[in-house]
Amino acid sequence: MPSFSLSLIPVGVRFMLISALGFAFMSACVKYVSTYGIPVFEIVAARALVSLIISYVDVKRKGISVWGHNKPLLFVRGAVGTAALMCVYYAVTTLPLAEATILQYVHPIFTALLGVLFLKERIQNSTMICIAFCLAGLLVMVQPSMSNTSASELPIFSIMLALCGALGSSIAYVIVRKLSQTEDSSVIILYFPLVALPISTLLIWDNFVWPSLYITIMLILVGIFTQIGQYGLTKAMQTQAAGKASAYSYVQIVFSALLGVWIFNEIPSIWTYLGGGLIVTGALINVFGKQLLSPIKSK
């Protein structure tokens, strides 16, 4: 009987799982520093500064131009990503971590549809099944809360911004997929902080809060975990179709729920566990569906 091997998992899937874990830790750090009074725009600026330094060093290490080839589209990617990030960070700092992550992670559906419209990609059956399972999981996790009177405590503005962040992320991911045809992954990553840093710095205005040494370290970690997430995401998009790769990002919901319990004592309900199970099942179908169906077709 053949034993399981890591090589059975496609390279793009592995990169997306790394990305999901990196972004989950990033969100936890963002929520944590916000409890010390650090405003959202300042967190965005800190993340952008760290990412800019790391990305610039990486580009110079490769000996390639920092400006890339398709400059207009690279700047658009940076601008869209910056707007999406600000929406997501606001949601993370004003909503429970699990709920904020669930809302922002409707973006794989958007990404799959945008991939069809603009990249002429075909959504595979396994991806469609995965999306269906993930949507069912999200409904299971959210519906009981929405029917509860306590749901009124969730700020509507925060929910709206979370959904805007999800849509913005989808657009940015499809642009990354397009750019990967002509640009190095390090250049694509570099343009995000290149645009985000000046914009967020201007928006801070007179709301800047001097962080302590401890909070400064946490802000640096936001940038480091961001870089891990961005690297995994970009590499995944270069090796998988846009819709299929982004479907695995749902795993971040599970990671964030666990971090919510560990750091913020946010205990998920039974509905969260059931919904998470559906999401993981969908991801497994997406990973192994083609491999499982191939032997059947060959018979």
Side-chain angles (χ1 to χ4, degrees), residues 2 13 65 71 80 87 97 117 127 129 136 146 153 169 171 192 196 206 213 218 224 228 259 264 269 273 293 299:
V13 176
S65 172
K71 298 179 183 63
V80 172
C87 291
L97 191 58
L117 293 175
T127 303
I129 295 173
M146 293 302 179
E153 298 177 4
S169 297
I171 297 172
F192 178 79
D206 58 349
L213 177 60
M218 295 302 296
I224 292 175
I228 294 173
L259 289 173
F264 306 105
S269 68
Y273 289 112
L293 291 175
K299 288 184 179 180

Side-chain angles (χ1 to χ4, degrees), residues 108-125:
I109 290 93
F110 293 143
T111 305
L113 295 176
L114 290 171
V116 172
L117 293 175
F118 297 104
L119 302 181
K120 308 303 180 183
E121 294 179 348
R122 178 180 177 275
I123 303 180
Q124 300 181 18
N125 291 335

Side-chain angles (χ1 to χ4, degrees), residues 269-285:
S269 68
I270 185 63
W271 302 108
T272 299
Y273 289 112
L274 290 175
L278 287 171
I279 292 168
V280 172
T281 300
L284 291 174
I285 291 174

Side-chain angles (χ1 to χ4, degrees), residues 33-56:
V33 298
S34 71
T35 62
Y36 284 81
I38 307 298
V40 171
F41 293 138
E42 186 173 337
I43 300 174
V44 172
R47 163 186 163 162
L49 179 60
V50 175
S51 295
L52 183 63
I53 294 172
I54 296 175
S55 299
Y56 181 77

Side-chain angles (χ1 to χ4, degrees), residues 136-152:
L138 291 176
L139 288 173
V140 168
M141 294 172 71
V142 175
Q143 193 277 331
S145 296
M146 293 302 179
S147 62
N148 196 312
T149 55
S150 63
S152 60

Side-chain angles (χ1 to χ4, degrees), residues 193-267:
L194 198 63
V195 176
L197 183 58
I199 291 177
S200 58
T201 301
L202 287 174
L203 291 174
I204 293 174
W205 200 242
D206 58 349
N207 294 321
F208 180 79
V209 175
W210 279 105
S212 65
L213 177 60
Y214 173 66
I215 297 302
T216 299
I217 294 174
M218 295 302 296
L219 287 170
I220 292 174
L221 285 178
V222 170
I224 292 175
F225 285 129
T226 294
Q227 202 70 9
I228 294 173
Q230 288 284 0
Y231 176 78
L233 171 65
T234 304
K235 297 298 289 185
M237 286 297 178
Q238 288 181 327
T239 55
Q240 295 284 114
K244 191 174 183 67
S246 62
Y248 299 101
S249 59
Y250 276 112
V251 179
Q252 184 184 337
I253 297 172
V254 179
F255 295 153
S256 295
L258 293 174
L259 289 173
V261 173
W262 179 35
I263 301 174
F264 306 105
N265 295 319
E266 298 172 347
I267 307 300

